[in-house]
Amino acid sequence: MGDVRWKVVAAGLFGLAAAGLAQAADRVKVGFVSTLSGPNAALGVDIRDGFNLAVKLHGGKLGGLPAEVLVADDQFKPDTGRQLFERYVKRDKVDFMTGVVFSNIMLAALPEAVDNNVLYISPNAAPSSMAGKDCNPLFFAASWPNDAYHEAAGAFANQRSLKNVFLLAPNYQAGKDSLAGFKRTFKGDIAGEVYSQLGQLDYAAELAQIRAARPQAVYVFLPGGMGINFIKQFVGSGLSKDTMLLLPGFSADQDIISAIGAPMAGLFNTAHWSPDMDNAANRKFVAEFQKEYKRLPTLYASQGYDTALLIDAAVRDVKGRLEDRQAVRNALRAARFESVRGAFKFNTNQYPIQDYYVRTIGSDGKGGLVNKSFSEPILRNHGDAYVQQCKMAK
């Protein structure tokens, strides 16, 4: 994507705090921009629903202040995302921005927030550049680094003694990060590495390449409708009889299971969260999400929910003094909330340090399928590979 340049000046960032002028706000305004239409809409809808559920369970408040959440659809277009960020930051004067699913949209829109001294809390997109050389004090990733699920998948492939794997991802930043992450931990050979078009839904050519390469396994990063179509076509082609399909968690999430059905049974995937995680915060989240929306939550929903809880904790800890950006940032870095994923903390680059698990898809006991996590993490207290490149001041 090229280098990202920021124009934030320290004096502008934290001047109000130094001057002692910050006062408690009477409400919290959040700009929420996400992909809410088209083949990948399910991802943004789940993030939105998880975020809104957390606000509802807090009585319509964040940190004890009435919350106004302004929601808009980026239509899977970087230019639209940037325009919406500009509107919320400059016209609506929001306190926080959040919501974006895809890294290319976020990287296009993010300068509108940080150049205007507005914190962005990412519920999903977390590109490698922002973890390293382009890290920024106004950017927090509340999800997972772009590479992490794929590093976990590579470690699992080693555990399963796989000798060669074929790799497939869309040709954009997160796709490149994903395959870089897999190769970082996988010790075997790469039978093939293909980058498809972002948003592509027909994988006949890629399936022909996989058939010709004859790998032991295929690892794909294909979010949303891309993943649904690929898995259906992979199984329909007959390749699944002899070739293992290994997935990142979002390509084997509940929305994917619901769309595909029986062919998902027995597939392995890697994630930092699972609906069966046995902690109080997660039990409450899963139960309340099902009650509110009549469906099981996905990874995306859990990330939206946690993002709202993180903002709630920060607003609470600064006692509503939202103009004091340094105090708000310190409160966000402290992350004093109970995450649905269990143990969670921020690294020095404001990316998560957390556990990653292998999940397998099995019966829910009611005629359906659901993810079930292995009891022990495949990666424990795992950060990212780029933190040493981040020169951000504390």
Side-chain angles (χ1 to χ4, degrees):
M1 299 297 295
D3 288 350
V4 180
R5 300 299 182 207
W6 313 108
K7 295 182 288 184
V8 175
V9 178
L13 247 178
F14 309 125
L16 283 173
L21 298 177
Q23 298 178 353
D26 59 2
R27 61 176 174 167
V28 182
K29 293 184 73 173
V30 179
F32 185 102
V33 175
S34 199
T35 303
L36 303 174
S37 61
N40 299 300
L43 286 57
V45 167
D46 274 2
I47 293 173
R48 179 200 64 193
D49 288 353
F51 191 96
N52 284 341
L53 177 64
V55 176
K56 180 178 180 179
L57 293 177
H58 284 77
K61 298 179 179 180
L62 290 170
L65 297 178
E68 182 180 355
V69 183
L70 308 175
V71 178
D73 179 12
D74 62 37
Q75 302 174 42
F76 197 43
K77 298 175 182 177
D79 284 347
T80 301
R82 181 186 56 77
Q83 291 163 11
L84 291 169
F85 266 57
E86 182 180 23
R87 179 199 306 172
Y88 284 156
V89 168
K90 294 182 179 178
R91 187 192 72 181
D92 297 301
K93 307 296 183 184
V94 297
D95 302 297
F96 301 93
M97 287 295 303
T98 189
V100 180
V101 177
F102 293 94
S103 295
N104 59 328
I105 295 173
M106 192 203 72
L107 289 172
L110 184 61
E112 296 294 340
V114 299
D115 288 353
N116 290 281
N117 201 18
V118 174
L119 287 150
Y120 181 76
I121 319 300
S122 179
N124 192 61
S128 58
S129 60
M130 295 299 301
K133 60 185 176 60
D134 293 321
C135 63
N136 188 281
L138 292 169
F139 177 85
F140 285 81
S143 52
W144 46 276
N146 270 5
D147 300 29
Y149 279 19
H150 320 295
E151 291 168 342
F156 180 62
N158 296 334
Q159 191 180 84
R160 300 283 291 191
S161 300
L162 295 177
K163 302 301 182 185
N164 60 83
V165 178
F166 191 100
L167 307 180
L168 173 63
N171 190 18
Y172 78 120
Q173 186 63 51
K176 295 173 183 177
D177 286 348
S178 70
L179 300 192
F182 186 91
K183 291 185 291 184
R184 186 174 296 119
T185 54
F186 180 54
K187 297 179 181 178
D189 295 327
I190 303 303
E193 183 174 347
V194 174
Y195 293 91
S196 57
Q197 184 178 348
L198 182 61
Q200 180 175 320
L201 298 177
D202 183 354
Y203 292 94
E206 289 79 9
L207 291 170
Q209 289 175 279
I210 292 168
R211 191 180 299 279
R214 302 178 65 184
Q216 285 182 289
V218 175
Y219 181 70
V220 301
F221 166 87
L222 294 168
M226 293 180 286
I228 291 172
N229 279 39
F230 177 83
I231 295 168
K232 286 181 177 178
Q233 292 165 33
F234 180 83
V235 173
S237 73
L239 282 166
S240 60
K241 296 177 182 177
D242 300 310
T243 307
M244 178 181 178
L245 182 59
L246 180 59
L247 303 164
F250 46 80
S251 290
D253 219 346
Q254 201 61 40
D255 57 333
I256 309 294
I257 294 171
S258 298
I260 296 175
M264 298 294 294
L267 293 184
F268 294 104
N269 63 96
T270 49
H272 72 296
W273 172 86
S274 185
D276 63 345
M277 282 187 161
D278 191 19
N279 63 69
N282 192 54
R283 290 193 297 271
K284 177 180 179 180
F285 163 63
V286 172
E288 293 290 348
F289 193 94
Q290 287 183 285
K291 178 181 176 182
E292 182 74 15
Y293 302 113
K294 313 305 179 190
R295 68 182 191 274
L296 273 172
T298 62
L299 285 162
Y300 296 102
S302 76
Q303 293 165 187
Y305 187 83
D306 264 1
T307 297
L309 295 185
L310 174 62
I311 293 173
D312 172 75
V315 176
R316 177 200 67 210
D317 287 356
V318 299
K319 298 180 172 57
R321 294 192 295 272
L322 300 178
E323 290 184 353
D324 188 342
R325 290 291 193 270
Q326 180 66 68
V328 175
R329 178 172 170 251
N330 289 343
L332 287 167
R333 285 165 64 91
R336 285 187 280 265
F337 74 102
E338 295 298 319
S339 169
V340 298
R341 73 198 80 182
F344 168 90
K345 64 180 179 180
F346 281 117
N347 210 334
T348 55
N349 58 356
Q350 297 173 177
Y351 272 56
I353 296 174
Q354 57 196 351
D355 295 341
Y356 294 87
Y357 298 83
V358 177
R359 308 189 303 183
T360 186
I361 300 170
S363 172
D364 64 0
K366 303 174 184 177
L369 295 171
V370 68
N371 271 296
K372 300 178 180 180
S373 60
F374 289 20
S375 58
E376 292 298 319
I378 189 75
L379 297 176
R380 190 183 294 276
N381 293 324
H382 188 65
D384 62 85
Y386 307 98
V387 63
Q388 297 303 320
Q389 300 172 26
C390 174
K391 306 304 181 183
M392 180 167 55
K394 293 183 178 180

